[in-house]
């Protein structure tokens, strides 16, 4: 029996080392309550307290989660007018009306989904950091049948389209973290 234990000991030690290293490799950085500045998009945003920013940097924006990307995610994204709707080959412009933004955005969103389960439940003109914009609420089912809730705040500037998105499974997580998302949208400021 001791020969088996001695043979397995290096494997167990290796497995424990991997288990200890994996959390250290996690790509999440805790938010501190300090504003995050996006110089390209020209805005400042304060993510919800207790959430984490993914360490992966996307020059177009950032991604935040509280419990993991499959449970709830906030995306802040700034796209130039030329690249805002790449799949549908549409452009944005600084003088777009909120309903135009919504129409183009919904078409682009439908083009990104592999299935046809998107249902828009609300389109409401709102101010986003003092600019005319739109709040969209929607739901879709993933390929494995899980229903997700979505909320988008969208507005255009002279340089492009700003979107702030919240996505979470409709069961439990969506309603639970929606108020934190809504409060965070109110922190948006233009530089």
């Amino acid at each position: 029996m001791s020969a088996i234990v001695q043979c397995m000991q290096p494997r167990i030690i290796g497995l424990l080392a991997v288990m200890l290293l994996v959390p250290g490799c996690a790509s999440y950085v805790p938010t501190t309550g300090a504003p995050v500045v996006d110089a390209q998009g020209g805005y400042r945003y304060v993510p919800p307290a207790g959430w984490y920013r993914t360490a992966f940097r996307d020059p177009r924006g950032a991604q935040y989660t509280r419990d993991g990307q499959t449970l709830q995610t906030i995306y802040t994204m700034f796209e130039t007018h030329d690249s805002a709707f790449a799949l549908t080959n549409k452009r944005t412009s600084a003088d777009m009306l909120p309903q135009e933004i919504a129409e183009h955005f919904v078409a682009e969103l439908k083009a990104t989904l592999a299935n046809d389960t998107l249902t828009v439940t609300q389109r409401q003109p709102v101010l986003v950091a003092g600019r005319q914009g739109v709040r969209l609420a929607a739901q879709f089912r993933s390929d494995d049948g899980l229903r997700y809730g979505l909320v988008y705040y969208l507005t255009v500037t002279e340089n492009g389209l700003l979107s702030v998105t919240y996505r979470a499974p409709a069961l439990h997580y969506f309603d639970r973290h929606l108020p934190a998302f809504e409060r965070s949208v109110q922190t948006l400021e233009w530089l």
Side-chain angles (χ1 to χ4, degrees):
M1 184 66 122
S2 65
I4 294 174
V5 170
Q6 285 179 345
C7 179
M8 295 296 290
Q9 192 173 16
R11 290 185 181 156
I12 293 171
I13 291 171
L15 179 60
L16 286 172
V18 168
M19 290 172 61
L20 291 172
L21 287 175
V22 168
C25 295
S27 59
Y28 298 104
V29 177
T31 59
T32 62
V36 176
V37 174
D38 183 312
Q40 178 190 355
Y43 66 91
R44 180 183 345 224
Y45 172 74
V46 180
W51 287 51
Y52 297 86
R53 181 177 180 163
T54 60
F56 174 74
R57 300 288 182 197
D58 184 334
R60 299 169 301 161
Q63 184 177 18
Y64 305 90
T65 185
R66 184 178 177 276
D67 300 310
Q69 294 172 339
T70 58
L71 298 179
Q72 73 284 99
T73 306
I74 294 173
Y75 303 94
T76 58
M77 187 76 63
F78 186 82
E79 298 276 358
T80 63
H81 290 303
D82 291 336
S83 64
F85 303 122
L87 294 175
T88 55
N89 295 319
K90 304 281 186 186
R91 287 181 40 98
T92 56
S93 64
D95 60 349
M96 284 184 85
L97 297 173
Q99 59 267 29
E100 290 176 296
I101 299 168
E103 286 174 19
H104 291 319
F105 191 83
V106 168
E108 184 77 7
L109 187 58
K110 285 182 176 183
T112 64
L113 293 174
N115 55 40
D116 191 23
T117 63
L118 181 73
T119 304
V120 176
T121 58
Q122 180 189 48
R123 293 180 195 210
Q124 175 184 356
V126 295
L127 290 178
V128 179
R131 291 184 180 268
Q132 279 193 341
V134 64
R135 181 187 189 272
L136 290 175
Q139 293 185 349
F140 78 96
R141 286 197 185 274
S142 65
D143 291 337
D144 59 359
L146 184 60
R147 191 167 46 100
Y148 281 86
L150 303 161
V151 174
Y152 301 91
Y153 281 86
L154 308 160
T155 191
V156 288
T157 70
E158 292 78 20
N159 301 318
L161 172 73
L162 173 65
S163 64
V164 183
T165 306
Y166 172 62
R167 184 197 74 198
L171 184 63
H172 182 68
Y173 287 95
F174 183 79
D175 289 337
R176 183 175 186 187
H177 300 290
L178 181 60
F181 167 71
E182 296 286 359
R183 285 189 301 272
S184 74
V185 171
Q186 299 307 311
T187 69
L188 280 167
E189 295 180 321
W190 301 107
L191 301 178

